[in-house]
């Protein structure tokens, strides 16, 4: 019995290192072999829809989609309101796409070494019509004030200028688009926009109109009109009359 007991102890001592190694390696192998939960993105992968430049005048404001934290050079598919496109993020795992509509977006890609689709839902701020002609801003008054003194004497053989102030009173916040026309012409000139903050405010828009030469005239009379196309409003100035020097 003593010899058998000693032999059994020796065998246990010889096997102990191998058993210890097996116990130590098992968790590592298990962690390496354990697949990531299907359909979930890495913790860093994210995307966000932020307000960008405006689109066409009078249309919806456009936004920028920013992706970050994705695997480097990863092919992705982006789906959103009236759009779906494929792209590849850069070496830093980032991508920016301009000119998108506001709404819900998702980014889909296949994880490395897997056929499982990974989807990321993009964060988006509430819709903001900044930059759009169709805004909550309400215009209550538009007028044009003549700045050039009446009866100003000029050399009518040379072109000159006349100055006006367009006055827009509106309750914001919002942006109001405008343009001018000269005399009887319907061609828009000097287009622009005025931004209004909350509350009711009035903004003055200086407009310097070019007056062509009229060598044989005794007097020259001109006027301008300020147009707000989104509000379908306009205001015509009084005449500016120049006296031609003799």
């Amino acid at each position: 019995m003593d010899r058998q007991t000693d032999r059994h102890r020796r065998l246990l001592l010889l096997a102990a290192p191998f058993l210890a190694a097996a116990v130590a390696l098992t968790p590592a192998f298990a962690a390496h072999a354990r697949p990531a939960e299907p359909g979930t993105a890495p913790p860093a992968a994210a995307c966000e829809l932020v307000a960008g430049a405006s689109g066409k005048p009078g249309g919806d404001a456009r936004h920028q989609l920013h992706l970050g934290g994705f695997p480097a050079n990863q092919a992705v598919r982006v789906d959103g309101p009236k759009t779906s496109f494929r792209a590849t993020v850069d070496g830093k795992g980032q991508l920016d796409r301009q000119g998108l509509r506001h709404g819900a977006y998702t980014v889909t890609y296949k994880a490395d070494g897997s056929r499982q689709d990974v989807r990321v839902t993009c964060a988006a701020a509430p819709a903001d019509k900044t930059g759009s002609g169709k805004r909550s801003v309400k215009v209550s008054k538009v007028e044009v004030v003549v700045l050039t003194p009446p009866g100003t004497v000029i050399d009518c053989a040379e072109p000159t200028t006349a100055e006006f102030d367009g006055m827009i009173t509106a309750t914001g916040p919002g942006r109001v688009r405008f343009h001018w026309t000269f005399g009887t012409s319907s061609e828009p000139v000097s287009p622009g926009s005025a931004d209004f903050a909350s509350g009711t405010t009035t903004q003055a828009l200086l407009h310097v109109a070019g007056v062509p030469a009229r060598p044989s005239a005794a007097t020259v009379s001109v006027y301008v009109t300020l147009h707000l196309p989104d509000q379908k409003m306009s205001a015509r100035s009084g005449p500016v009359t120049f006296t031609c020097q003799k």
Side-chain angles (χ1 to χ4, degrees):
M1 287 293 294
D2 291 341
R3 290 181 179 180
Q4 289 181 352
T5 301
D6 290 341
R7 183 170 177 273
H8 183 66
R9 287 176 177 175
R10 285 196 299 270
L11 289 174
L12 289 175
L13 289 173
L14 289 171
F18 297 99
L19 291 172
V23 172
L25 291 173
T26 299
F29 278 112
H32 180 73
R34 187 183 301 119
E37 184 179 349
T40 59
C47 61
E48 182 182 13
L49 189 70
V50 297
S54 62
K56 295 180 180 180
D60 293 334
R62 297 299 178 174
H63 291 70
Q64 172 183 304
L65 187 68
H66 174 72
L67 279 62
F70 285 76
N73 305 312
Q74 174 70 54
V76 299
R77 188 184 79 236
V78 177
D79 296 288
K82 297 184 179 181
T83 187
S84 180
F85 61 89
R86 295 182 182 275
T88 301
V89 302
D90 61 21
K92 296 181 180 180
Q94 299 180 354
L95 173 72
D96 289 296
R97 182 61 61 93
Q98 305 277 356
L100 300 179
R101 295 173 178 269
H102 185 273
Y105 284 81
T106 59
V107 180
T108 306
Y109 70 96
K110 293 189 181 299
D112 187 24
S114 171
R115 295 183 179 180
Q116 177 70 42
D117 280 346
V118 179
R119 290 184 177 85
V120 181
T121 301
C122 304
D128 180 4
K129 295 292 186 176
T130 301
S132 166
K134 297 179 179 179
R135 304 286 300 284
S136 59
V137 63
K138 296 185 182 300
V139 176
S140 57
K141 185 178 182 181
V142 55
E143 60 182 327
V144 180
V145 178
V146 177
L147 300 180
T148 301
T152 300
V153 178
I154 63 170
D155 180 359
C156 292
E158 299 291 335
T160 188
T161 60
E163 295 187 355
F164 306 86
D165 253 351
M167 311 294 290
I168 301 176
T169 301
T171 303
R175 177 172 296 175
V176 176
R177 296 190 306 125
F178 65 83
H179 67 262
W180 299 81
T181 55
F182 180 79
T184 58
S185 173
S186 60
E187 181 181 357
V189 294
S190 302
S193 62
D195 291 311
F196 288 83
S198 299
T200 301
T201 55
T202 299
Q203 292 202 36
L205 311 171
L206 175 64
H207 178 58
V208 180
V211 180
R214 297 178 187 174
S216 59
T219 61
V220 174
S221 183
V222 297
Y223 65 89
V224 296
T225 305
L226 174 60
H227 302 266
L228 311 183
D230 298 320
Q231 287 74 22
K232 295 181 172 55
M233 298 175 67
S234 63
R236 175 175 164 174
S237 75
V240 174
T241 302
F242 295 98
T243 299
C244 300
Q245 66 184 17
K246 297 179 181 180

